[in-house]
Amino acid sequence: MPNRRQFFRTVAGATVGLYMGERAVRAQAPPARLQVSVGGKRVKVVDVHAHWDMPLGDVVKGTPYEKDRATGPGLDDRIPMMDKIGVDLEAISVNDFWWWEIKDQGLARAICNKHNETLAAWSRQHPDRFVGMASIPLQFPDMAADMLDEAVRRGAHGVAIGGHVNGESLSLPKFDVFWAKVQQLGQLAFMHPNGSGNIIQQGALAGRGGLGNIVGNPLETTVFLSRLIFDGTFDKFPNLKVCGAHGGGYLPSYLGRTEVACQRTGQTCIIKKKPSDYMRANILADAMVFSAEGVRHLVAEMGAGQVVFGTDTPFGWPVTVDPITGNSALSNADKEAILGGNLVKLLKLTT
Ligand SMILES: [Zn+2]
């Protein structure tokens, strides 16, 4: 391309290229596209953790959700946000799972259909930049399994889930039909918490600092993953791949206590392996821990094959690729896997 200019800088052993796109010639200031390289090799950066509070329009007309959910943000500003931090492809999910409280099966199905159809259309429009994760109505486990099947056939990559269904753990047998489908389809389940509303007494996280997010979210993720481990979900479905948002909550950071739980006198455990074995086979974490030391520790506890890149876009967290590209504890192969290689496999990406 005649207008392409290349800039290169070296960051602690990893080379990062800056690319000014064709828009550089327009009157507006050009968005720079950060192109990430490791050891001189351009690598694909894939983001597992990208939100969209999708507007639902007529689908929620005349329902209690019309006021808050009919209108919402679009995705038109998303590509410049991705370019700025070097994300090549986002796997978009609709989070919060507010529709899991809906008792009307038709409405729940219509909302998830709208999510899945809109994400599929957006992904078709920008096949090299976006894929959509399936939305499912997990309060109806059979329907959720069917809708996951349908969404994957229509182009979804992975499935987005919350940490509980109206307070119920996803390790309960009633959700086995869903996990069986996730395993059968070989899809990645990306779990995103919502403030530990299922665990924390009302008002307990109401102090300054946004603790529902800062503490509640990783706590909910920790409990969610711990229930899947100790209640035997991964023994029933040994090929499951479940990714916990925000570094997998506190679980990888404090694994020692979890690891010895079954060795304690008086404990009766049913699990077939050590907790750390599930951490290294079934559980993944996004690398959204904001420091090279945090990423190093995730890799030490889980292995580089279990850690993936995530940004929490568009919520303004100061995420960069630097804790990975500039991490002296990681090999170039580890960096490439964490930045995108693992997700290319787990999300079955072809580009
Ligand atoms: Zn998030």
Side-chain angles (χ1 to χ4, degrees):
M1 273 185 283
N3 298 314
R4 180 178 289 188
R5 289 184 288 153
Q6 298 274 355
F7 302 87
F8 292 97
R9 65 189 166 97
T10 300
V11 181
T15 308
V16 176
L18 279 173
Y19 157 59
M20 307 289 280
E22 286 178 286
R23 278 166 292 190
V25 295
R26 294 182 188 169
Q28 299 270 324
R33 180 169 181 179
L34 182 69
Q35 299 210 54
V36 178
S37 299
V38 170
K41 178 186 171 196
R42 175 75 164 88
V43 297
K44 191 182 184 81
V45 178
V46 184
D47 180 2
V48 77
H49 188 160
H51 296 275
W52 185 18
D53 188 10
M54 184 191 297
L56 292 169
D58 287 349
V59 174
V60 289
K61 200 169 181 192
T63 76
Y65 306 100
E66 181 174 356
K67 184 169 163 287
D68 292 332
R69 304 291 173 184
T71 58
L75 285 181
D76 291 334
D77 59 348
R78 197 56 80 98
I79 289 176
M81 292 166 77
M82 295 159 65
D83 287 350
K84 194 175 167 197
I85 57 174
V87 171
D88 293 301
L89 185 139
E90 273 186 356
I92 299 181
S93 49
V94 184
N95 292 93
D96 284 358
F97 310 96
W98 54 270
W99 62 92
W100 286 5
E101 69 178 23
I102 294 172
K103 294 189 173 66
D104 175 340
Q105 289 203 11
L107 178 59
R109 179 191 291 276
I111 289 167
C112 293
N113 265 332
K114 172 77 172 176
H115 288 163
N116 293 333
E117 284 167 11
T118 308
L119 287 170
W122 180 255
S123 168
R124 276 196 301 274
Q125 218 177 317
H126 305 276
D128 57 334
R129 303 308 299 269
F130 299 100
V131 293
M133 287 188 172
S135 269
I136 42 112
L138 203 44
Q139 70 273 45
F140 307 114
D142 289 305
M143 192 161 93
D146 290 345
M147 288 197 76
L148 173 58
D149 203 298
E150 196 179 314
V152 169
R153 275 190 277 114
R154 290 181 176 185
H157 293 253
V159 56
I161 56 171
H164 61 96
V165 182
N166 304 314
E168 291 189 315
S169 170
L170 272 69
S171 63
L172 295 179
K174 67 191 279 187
F175 298 112
D176 283 358
V177 63
F178 167 70
W179 291 122
K181 180 60 74 176
V182 175
Q183 176 171 270
Q184 180 207 327
L185 296 174
Q187 292 293 321
L188 175 69
F190 175 62
M191 175 270 172
H192 194 284
N194 194 10
S196 270
N198 56 324
I199 302 161
I200 295 290
Q201 211 174 346
Q202 198 173 9
L205 296 178
R208 290 179 187 275
L211 299 186
N213 191 337
I214 299 302
V215 175
N217 273 352
L219 180 62
E220 182 178 327
T221 305
T222 304
V223 173
F224 163 82
L225 292 172
S226 301
R227 293 286 307 257
L228 293 187
I229 291 173
F230 287 112
D231 292 349
T233 305
F234 293 126
D235 291 325
K236 278 189 224 169
F237 307 103
N239 297 321
L240 275 184
K241 303 283 185 191
V242 181
C243 178
H246 318 119
Y250 297 127
L251 190 58
S253 302
Y254 198 54
L255 191 59
R257 193 169 174 85
T258 302
E259 185 74 342
V260 299
C262 296
Q263 298 168 27
R264 193 172 156 229
T265 311
Q267 281 296 313
T268 308
C269 281
I270 60 166
I271 55 177
K272 294 180 179 164
K273 301 177 194 167
K274 291 183 295 186
S276 57
D277 292 333
Y278 304 103
M279 296 295 286
R280 288 177 173 272
N282 304 105
I283 295 174
L284 295 103
D286 72 31
M288 220 188 125
V289 289
F290 307 103
S291 70
E293 169 57 18
V295 173
R296 184 206 63 75
H297 187 72
L298 281 182
V299 171
E301 294 289 20
M302 304 178 75
Q306 306 301 111
V307 182
V308 295
F309 192 62
T311 66
D312 219 346
T313 303
F315 292 120
W317 294 91
V319 175
T320 71
V321 295
D322 297 347
I324 300 161
T325 56
N327 197 318
S328 59
L330 302 178
S331 69
N332 285 349
D334 290 345
K335 292 175 187 178
E336 187 173 352
I338 295 167
L339 288 167
N342 292 333
L343 283 173
V344 165
K345 289 183 209 146
L346 289 160
L347 294 173
K348 305 176 193 292
L349 303 176
T350 51
T351 53

